[in-house]
Amino acid sequence: DWANMGQGAPETGPLPGAPTRDFHMNIQDAELEYAPTTGDTELRVKVAEYYNHLYRQEKESKYTYENVCIVPGGRAGLTRVMAALGNIQVGYFTPDYTAYQQALGLFMRISPSPVLHRNVHEALLPSEDFAFEAGGRGLGAMLLSNPANPTGQSLEGDELDAYVKIARDLNCCLLMDEFYSHYYYDGENVSPEDGGADDDSNWPKTVSSAKYIDDVNEDPVVIVNGLTKNWRCPGFRVCWLVAPKPIVEMLGSAGSFLDGGANAPLQKLALPLMDLDFIRRDTWALQ
């Protein structure tokens, strides 16, 4: 047995109370072809439904499959984003996910800009300080994980809403790494195991900036997530970017010369994992 302390890795095996995951499949001849660089359309639809159901039921603007780009892992997704950005400054916090600095340094057009906390004792940068830093530096984008990796601190509620609004007002692209967005343990709902309802009326706590976006095709927010952490399937290398449609088109073009797209058969195998009832039950077991 071994453990790599520099690489976050979830428990990939069965969890008590979790729904069964069937990983058997017959690969059809058509699935031996390259997948589209934006991903399997059926999977893209399911990802869009996930965000609409959990975070946008009362919003007029809804995600469609055209707002979703399937990518072969989170790093590949971030690399596509960096390739699609122009000559801009991209802010990032320290500490945060260690791969950010390396990813930001791959492209000469990108100027990485570490954002420091005014109060070093504050675990999170208050939204008013974010507005000051983003506006004062002229940041074109801000890359951050939420919950933060490795500190676990979380932007939620009014503060997360304020971050999205600031990004909208300043036209600063908010690049939200939400790979740990199911890892919350302070929700108000009661799990089915403890007597809570076992149906769609009772979801465990999760957090996403998708809840605070006004127009999915206008607000400059790109969400990065995938099967790696929340679904506990890092070996699949199936992740996604959720963004305005024009950005997704650029991300698809970037994928054609960077990584060639995600694994086609495993995108099909991922479809049952994106059923909403499966997600609800599996997240309760995770928490």
Side-chain angles (χ1 to χ4, degrees):
D1 293 338
W2 60 275
N4 180 353
M5 303 305 291
Q7 174 65 41
E11 170 57 62
T12 57
L15 295 179
T20 301
R21 301 183 295 179
D22 184 4
F23 291 145
H24 295 86
M25 71 177 300
N26 292 315
I27 300 176
Q28 305 300 315
D29 288 343
E31 292 161 13
L32 298 176
E33 298 284 349
Y34 287 111
T37 55
T38 50
D40 179 88
T41 300
E42 194 174 1
L43 180 58
R44 294 168 72 193
V45 168
K46 283 184 170 288
V47 172
E49 289 175 347
Y50 161 75
Y51 285 96
N52 289 335
H53 186 78
L54 264 67
Y55 309 111
R56 304 195 60 79
Q57 289 196 34
E58 298 179 2
K59 298 282 190 179
E60 182 177 345
S61 177
K62 296 285 199 296
Y63 288 117
T64 71
Y65 77 93
E66 293 179 305
N67 297 108
V68 179
C69 183
I70 307 299
V71 292
R75 294 177 188 82
L78 289 174
T79 303
R80 287 200 198 188
V81 171
M82 298 308 152
L85 292 175
N87 295 298
I88 62 171
Q89 284 194 74
V90 179
Y92 66 97
F93 292 128
T94 55
D96 211 324
Y97 183 39
T98 54
Y100 291 166
Q101 194 166 7
Q102 288 86 349
L104 291 171
L106 289 175
F107 298 92
M108 294 183 65
R109 295 182 304 170
I110 302 296
S111 298
S113 181
V115 176
L116 304 179
H117 292 211
R118 288 187 182 182
N119 183 350
V120 296
H121 301 293
E122 287 281 351
L124 295 168
L125 187 73
S127 56
E128 59 268 23
D129 287 358
F130 170 61
F132 176 82
E133 293 285 346
R137 294 168 182 254
L139 295 181
M142 182 71 196
L143 173 61
L144 67 154
S145 57
N146 192 48
N149 177 8
T151 66
Q153 300 299 312
S154 176
L155 287 169
E156 304 175 29
D158 291 343
E159 276 294 278
L160 182 53
D161 189 10
Y163 264 68
V164 173
K165 184 179 186 302
I166 291 163
R168 184 188 307 124
D169 292 344
L170 297 178
N171 198 28
C172 172
C173 186
L174 204 57
L175 308 174
M176 296 295 298
D177 173 345
E178 298 183 351
F179 271 97
Y180 288 94
S181 56
H182 291 185
Y183 287 77
Y184 285 90
Y185 308 98
D186 59 348
E188 296 181 358
N189 289 350
V190 178
S191 73
E193 185 175 326
D194 295 325
D198 190 13
D199 56 36
D200 191 55
S201 68
N202 185 33
W203 276 79
K205 177 181 176 179
T206 61
V207 173
S208 175
S209 53
K211 181 177 181 178
Y212 304 104
I213 292 169
D214 286 346
D215 189 321
V216 299
N217 286 313
E218 294 292 336
D219 286 8
V221 179
V222 177
I223 297 169
V224 191
N225 200 345
L227 301 184
T228 304
K229 301 300 194 305
N230 292 326
W231 280 260
R232 300 178 294 107
C233 297
F236 268 51
R237 311 313 298 147
V238 172
C239 299
W240 53 79
L241 303 164
V242 180
K245 179 182 174 182
I247 294 180
V248 169
E249 292 173 353
M250 289 191 292
L251 294 172
S253 297
S256 66
F257 68 84
L258 281 174
D259 55 61
N263 183 296
L266 287 179
Q267 290 186 66
K268 292 296 186 184
L269 192 60
L271 292 173
L273 304 180
M274 293 307 299
D275 289 342
L276 290 171
D277 189 61
F278 175 92
I279 296 171
R280 179 185 60 81
R281 295 166 60 206
D282 192 69
T283 306
W284 272 125
L286 172 68
Q287 295 184 2

